[in-house]
Amino acid sequence: MESIVRADGRAVDELRPVTITRHFTDAPEGSVLITCGNTRVMCTATFTPGVPRWRQDSGLGWVTAEYAMLPRATAERTDRESVKGKVGGRTHEISRLIGRCLRGVVDMRALGENQVQMDCDVLQADGGTRTASVTGAYVALVDAMRWAEAHGHIESADKVLKDVVSAVSVGVIDGTPMLDLPYPEDSRAMTDMNVAMTGSGTFIEIQGTAEHRPFNRAELNTLLDLAEKGNRELQAAQRAALAEG
Amino acid sequence: MESIVRADGRAVDELRPVTITRHFTDAPEGSVLITCGNTRVMCTATFTPGVPRWRQDSGLGWVTAEYAMLPRATAERTDRESVKGKVGGRTHEISRLIGRCLRGVVDMRALGENQVQMDCDVLQADGGTRTASVTGAYVALVDAMRWAEAHGHIESADKVLKDVVSAVSVGVIDGTPMLDLPYPEDSRAMTDMNVAMTGSGTFIEIQGTAEHRPFNRAELNTLLDLAEKGNRELQAAQRAALAEG
Amino acid sequence: MESIVRADGRAVDELRPVTITRHFTDAPEGSVLITCGNTRVMCTATFTPGVPRWRQDSGLGWVTAEYAMLPRATAERTDRESVKGKVGGRTHEISRLIGRCLRGVVDMRALGENQVQMDCDVLQADGGTRTASVTGAYVALVDAMRWAEAHGHIESADKVLKDVVSAVSVGVIDGTPMLDLPYPEDSRAMTDMNVAMTGSGTFIEIQGTAEHRPFNRAELNTLLDLAEKGNRELQAAQRAALAEG
Amino acid sequence: MESIVRADGRAVDELRPVTITRHFTDAPEGSVLITCGNTRVMCTATFTPGVPRWRQDSGLGWVTAEYAMLPRATAERTDRESVKGKVGGRTHEISRLIGRCLRGVVDMRALGENQVQMDCDVLQADGGTRTASVTGAYVALVDAMRWAEAHGHIESADKVLKDVVSAVSVGVIDGTPMLDLPYPEDSRAMTDMNVAMTGSGTFIEIQGTAEHRPFNRAELNTLLDLAEKGNRELQAAQRAALAEG
Amino acid sequence: MESIVRADGRAVDELRPVTITRHFTDAPEGSVLITCGNTRVMCTATFTPGVPRWRQDSGLGWVTAEYAMLPRATAERTDRESVKGKVGGRTHEISRLIGRCLRGVVDMRALGENQVQMDCDVLQADGGTRTASVTGAYVALVDAMRWAEAHGHIESADKVLKDVVSAVSVGVIDGTPMLDLPYPEDSRAMTDMNVAMTGSGTFIEIQGTAEHRPFNRAELNTLLDLAEKGNRELQAAQRAALAEG
Amino acid sequence: MESIVRADGRAVDELRPVTITRHFTDAPEGSVLITCGNTRVMCTATFTPGVPRWRQDSGLGWVTAEYAMLPRATAERTDRESVKGKVGGRTHEISRLIGRCLRGVVDMRALGENQVQMDCDVLQADGGTRTASVTGAYVALVDAMRWAEAHGHIESADKVLKDVVSAVSVGVIDGTPMLDLPYPEDSRAMTDMNVAMTGSGTFIEIQGTAEHRPFNRAELNTLLDLAEKGNRELQAAQRAALAEG
């Protein structure tokens, strides 16, 4: 497998370069810029005491996420959803995925009746924006929890965060399973899978889709192996970023 | 595993009773009522010559799907999305899933510049509405393709349909992997997975989510085994329905 | 008049075959499928304790209705109003008509501060969907009131329901007044009238429209005679359905 | 019947004072201010060569209407539908009624492929706004047709206008049928009916509704007699206005 | 400068004829029809005890404004924003301008926790609709304050109204600064400025825009001189109107 | 005046530090990040051959702008306008201002039938976001014009750009006129003015508003002096940025 060289020179099981910048902006309780190759996503975590009405008096917290692309994050300009007056299906789908991934590592009882709203805004898109959002959002979430602990809103950030979560895309390109697809690969993929994994190596989300050619159990297993490798490396980057400051 | 008895008396690897009624209504080119236990979905396929503008002059066809729940399909009434003035995130997510599953078995070149719009309207919801929609929609799609062949819009229904597709939900309830979750199980599931499989046993969609407790590779494999068994039985029901009339 | 034979073989003063199926789905407090010829409407009644804010502390209940067509109820697919983001004028007009008809037979004081939301969803449309909705909705309303009485929400279903209501369409086709128009007749009608009548033979709604040729008092009287006959027969069908189970 | 005196001193079969001002504003092809008692409606007719896409190449014209209330036409301010982002059910219902009434007297073939858009904006509301709109709109329509004839868009205004149309409300108040209800009467009416009549005494629209107490054939006939009298007088006012200038 | 004669015969520093009609309609607490040449705007002030939630318990009042055009106020019909389902940018911009101008002369503490909603609806548009709205709205505001004083909602209208406000447009046409531009001049203006001035000669709003040719300090000063002259004359008209009745 | 020291240590006539980063992202034809103190705006210019329908066959180009804030650009999170389903009044107002400023320096005939869509997205807001948007957008516009010249879409970037444009805010704080207001000053300003100026020192936009205390001619002149000084310095920063690379 290693003899295949990708357009950008990577091996099939190699991540694109990742950088995670914390405190990217000043106002949010957590603010992270994550870059995965040319993909750049700004993830801001807003901590608010209190929960939505349907969750009140439950003793439990809540975490939601909203994803969006700036109009010219892409090669062709995309019309603003605010101007169109409605949120599109893709945006909804990705926002919900990010929310589920974050909730999968949060102890809602330890969070108490507090809410975190995560905003993931894509400044530049080159494939893997939803998985970069999950990976960056986790770091912003940690910062928001540390802030909440420091400000006495929660007892302990560590208790709220049951585990780490990161996500990466994998796919089959021309019959070859590959890790971390940039846009040119993603658009040619026969099968495309996004895998969100915890620090303990278990899965929170697996979304595999094969509009172009179905995949079998063997391919699935290879893709999951690649995703595990990628997620372990992304979690190292998360840890490194969180160790600073 | 067999000693566990579920609330409805089924074994853990047992589907709910399935019925597939073709020609449920008269106007659509394909019209199917599928019931999976108490879940009932009406799937209608609309065949239209021509494709959307962005697809014109490609020689390729297009297949989309829209999913919706009637207001009182559920125990509590759900406000209509038409009255709210927007389509919700869950609806968008499921509509897109159904569309991808159907496109995964359609040869767009054989379909030619024709479009199929699949509508899946849930009359009664008791878990598994999205997977029942996929399973029922495939049968409606076959009928629409037979209609299109009979009316000279396509050369051959068999050429358009590269394979069969069905879908089923699986999940881990109190630590036990189970097949085909009704609503009371679904709402308690630690892990929930929807698996769309072709007749040749490959996957078109795998969507596993674990907001409540992450799952490991071993559990994933057990769930996929259950899903394969369930899908094989659903495909038998599809074949039986299509053999009639 | 009797010598005229309609396309479907009926006499000019003859209803299409009517069937009324109660308990069509499980969740709603009242759930009815009504078929009038090829028109099929699902009517579900949702009973909720409490009333909207503007009605609070009045001691009075409230009844509303929403009407909608499934996309492929018609020969050509109709775009979903949820996707278009707004409810159309025709839908609004019919929803309001159904609501007024039901309120016309309800004693709001006997209902107390409780609300009934009626949903009429057209599964298949062949003319007369609004009048079939009224006729079916009344039966669903009775079931909801019986449920509310059995569950102690109201004192007596009989006291809430002051009278029966049904509705039927009549129209002038090629100069001949006719009862219960299917779509092919409806679209050719010079004059079209919907008449909602109580069990005591009085009127709750008369909506006559004549875009194509105005009508005089004599024609009006003939149409009302036809409508009275049709409504009396529909009310017999309502009584028969309600006598079961 | 004559001994009953209404709050405003009128006899039960007496219209409120009517004034019809043509050329109320300069830009529209027809512009009329109609006052019926305290109700004031501005009706503007916009003539445009060409018809909507679905009507093209039919040789036929088209007439539509839009009704709206200014926010403070009423005792309590009504929020703008533009700000709410949607047109309400009542507005839709009335707009459609006005459109049907006008189309009922227009020969679409004589109009040719031209369109008239009628706008009825209520400056002040005191009952009967929809019927005043119909009556005023007809005069604006005549002016627009005369303009179109003068500018060579149509051959003859007289050929387009097959007949006159006016409308008036009638209702039963405390058991007494009355003509032309102002708001205080309208809101107490047991039965409320709007009747649009042609110059030849035939009906284009009859909309009777009885949320509060159903009506019988005898009452219906009395109401129709009142409506005929009222419409004949309104048509005299239309003729007088059109005879000027 | 005086030798230039404008299309309508005015001198460059001459206002169009202004009329201000109070009590134009009955329901609003303030109701004014203002005409500036052919521009006609209806301004209604709605006084409501209480303020929006965000302003509660502040002891302060609130004033807002909404501006709209009737569809056929203009030479070509403009689609209704209610039908389009959204308020356009120009409408938003003007509504906000009017609100700021009115708030600029209101003592919010003297108003107390009461709200005024100003509606400015353009019946006929011939340039300067936003400035006519401000000038007319001020008069409607005074009437609403007098009403509120008379009804004991506020202590004193005079204390609420710190000053007078009026507004007028000025612009540079073919190099010549001119006062009060009708539409044909406005559309040709190189520079266009709206100036809202108090009775004491200070400014509340200056909005100058020069899409077609930038302006320098000298031109700015000439335009402001013209605007001062115009506003002083408009304020005389306001005073005259308010002195009546 | 110089003895007053502002909260951030600046003199009253001193700009906040400005940085202009070109080529901030890869996809757009012009992409600029501008920071003015803590305010950070990303300005991307999209060049598209062709113009909107209403502009076709005019030989003229078109330039528009859209402004938006990321949800957590501010101290409190702002709900997304896409989720609310409508663009707010403030957003509309600012988008229109930016568009007018850019069009004020563009020769539409030299641009030819090509369109530029400018997107200004505020990553972090600390006052002056609209003026920073104008200043940054101009630089992105220059880059887009250079790109268009290099790719043969226009003859000459220099001919399209008739002049430079920048913008800055000024205001009166506690009686003292000051340049370039950060949020804490802006929210306390009695008078607030945004001034867009060309390289030749003429004005394209002056928007002064005084909800809290009107301003007189003398204050206006002082504010304009400050704005001229500020704009001259901003234009130096623009030139410096454009001289690179």
Side-chain angles (χ1 to χ4, degrees), chain A residues 87 89 92-93 96 100 103 202-211 214-215 217 220-221 224-225 228, chain B residues 87 89 92-93 96 100 103 202-211 214-215 217 220-221 224-225 228:
Chain A
V87 173
H92 262 150
E93 187 176 284
R96 288 164 60 87
R100 287 192 305 262
R103 288 193 294 272
T202 52
F203 302 114
I204 291 185
E205 283 268 337
I206 294 180
Q207 292 207 347
T209 191
E211 276 191 47
F215 54 98
R217 283 290 273 271
L220 173 61
N221 281 320
L224 289 173
D225 290 342
E228 282 191 35
Chain B
V87 173
H92 262 148
E93 188 176 282
R96 288 164 59 87
R100 288 193 304 261
R103 289 192 294 272
T202 53
F203 301 114
I204 291 186
E205 283 269 336
I206 294 181
Q207 291 208 346
T209 190
E211 274 191 48
F215 53 98
R217 284 290 273 271
L220 173 61
N221 281 320
L224 290 173
D225 290 342
E228 284 192 34

Side-chain angles (χ1 to χ4, degrees), chain F residues 51-129:
Chain F
V51 282
R53 184 185 304 264
W54 59 269
R55 194 83 167 177
Q56 281 170 11
D57 301 320
S58 65
L60 304 172
W62 189 238
V63 177
T64 58
E66 287 178 9
Y67 165 98
M69 281 233 210
L70 293 200
R72 199 56 201 286
T74 45
E76 309 248 313
R77 186 176 182 276
T78 314
D79 288 341
R80 286 175 195 272
E81 296 186 328
S82 58
V83 172
K84 287 195 286 187
K86 50 185 162 188
V87 173
R90 181 183 174 276
T91 299
H92 263 147
E93 188 175 283
I94 299 178
S95 295
R96 287 162 60 86
L97 167 69
I98 300 168
R100 289 193 303 261
C101 287
L102 298 177
R103 289 192 293 272
V105 293
V106 167
D107 182 326
M108 293 297 172
R109 192 156 299 282
L111 178 53
E113 293 204 6
N114 297 296
Q115 182 173 11
V116 178
Q117 290 164 282
M118 188 66 64
D119 288 288
C120 298
D121 286 272
V122 180
L123 304 189
Q124 187 163 284
D126 186 26
T129 60

Side-chain angles (χ1 to χ4, degrees), chain C residues 20-177:
Chain C
I20 297 176
T21 307
R22 288 164 61 209
H23 312 304
F24 182 62
T25 53
D26 301 341
E29 286 71 46
S31 176
V32 162
L33 181 75
I34 184 167
T35 67
C36 296
N38 287 323
T39 287
R40 275 192 250 172
V41 186
M42 182 171 158
C43 305
T44 62
T46 297
F47 181 96
T48 323
V51 281
R53 183 185 305 265
W54 59 270
R55 194 81 168 178
Q56 281 170 11
D57 302 320
S58 66
L60 304 173
W62 190 237
V63 177
T64 57
E66 287 178 12
Y67 164 98
M69 280 234 210
L70 293 200
R72 199 57 201 287
T74 43
E76 310 248 311
R77 186 176 181 277
T78 315
D79 287 341
R80 287 176 194 270
E81 295 186 329
S82 58
V83 171
K84 288 194 286 187
K86 50 184 161 187
V87 173
R90 181 183 174 276
T91 298
H92 263 148
E93 188 176 282
I94 298 178
S95 295
R96 288 163 60 87
L97 167 69
I98 300 169
R100 288 193 304 261
C101 287
L102 297 177
R103 289 193 294 274
V105 293
V106 167
D107 182 325
M108 292 296 171
R109 195 157 296 281
L111 178 54
E113 291 204 7
N114 297 295
Q115 183 173 10
V116 178
Q117 290 165 282
M118 188 66 64
D119 287 289
C120 299
D121 287 272
V122 180
L123 304 189
Q124 188 162 284
D126 185 26
T129 61
R130 75 185 73 187
T131 50
S133 295
V134 170
T135 304
Y138 173 75
V139 177
L141 180 62
V142 173
D143 274 332
M145 288 303 102
R146 290 178 181 177
W147 179 94
E149 181 183 326
H151 288 72
H153 291 294
I154 60 172
E155 197 192 318
S156 153
D158 286 351
K159 282 193 184 148
V160 173
L161 296 159
K162 300 185 292 185
D163 207 334
V164 171
V165 65
S166 64
V168 75
S169 74
V170 287
V172 180
I173 317 291
D174 296 334
T176 306

Side-chain angles (χ1 to χ4, degrees), chain B residues 34-107:
Chain B
I34 183 166
T35 68
C36 296
N38 287 322
T39 289
R40 276 192 251 172
V41 186
M42 182 171 158
C43 306
T44 60
T46 298
F47 181 95
T48 323
V51 281
R53 184 186 306 264
W54 59 269
R55 192 83 167 177
Q56 281 170 12
D57 302 319
S58 65
L60 304 173
W62 190 238
V63 177
T64 58
E66 286 179 10
Y67 165 99
M69 281 233 210
L70 293 200
R72 200 55 200 286
T74 44
E76 309 249 313
R77 186 175 181 277
T78 314
D79 287 342
R80 286 176 195 271
E81 296 186 328
S82 58
V83 172
K84 288 194 287 187
K86 50 184 162 188
V87 173
R90 180 181 175 278
T91 299
H92 262 148
E93 188 176 282
I94 298 178
S95 295
R96 288 164 59 87
L97 168 69
I98 300 168
R100 288 193 304 261
C101 287
L102 297 178
R103 289 192 294 272
V105 293
V106 166
D107 181 327

Side-chain angles (χ1 to χ4, degrees), chain C residues 92 203-206 208-210 215, chain D residues 203-206 208-210 215:
Chain C
H92 263 148
F203 302 113
I204 292 186
E205 283 270 334
I206 295 182
T209 191
F215 53 99
Chain D
F203 302 114
I204 293 186
E205 283 269 334
I206 294 180
T209 190
F215 52 99

Side-chain angles (χ1 to χ4, degrees), chain F residues 1-7 9-14 170-181 185 218-227 229:
Chain F
M1 204 191 272
E2 287 90 79
S3 61
I4 292 175
V5 176
R6 298 157 82 174
R10 280 184 292 147
V12 295
D13 65 347
E14 192 179 343
V170 288
V172 181
I173 319 291
D174 296 335
T176 307
M178 294 188 182
L179 175 65
D180 192 13
L181 314 183
E185 289 179 359
E219 287 169 316
L220 172 61
N221 281 319
T222 308
L223 291 172
L224 290 173
D225 290 341
L226 286 171
K229 176 177 184 293

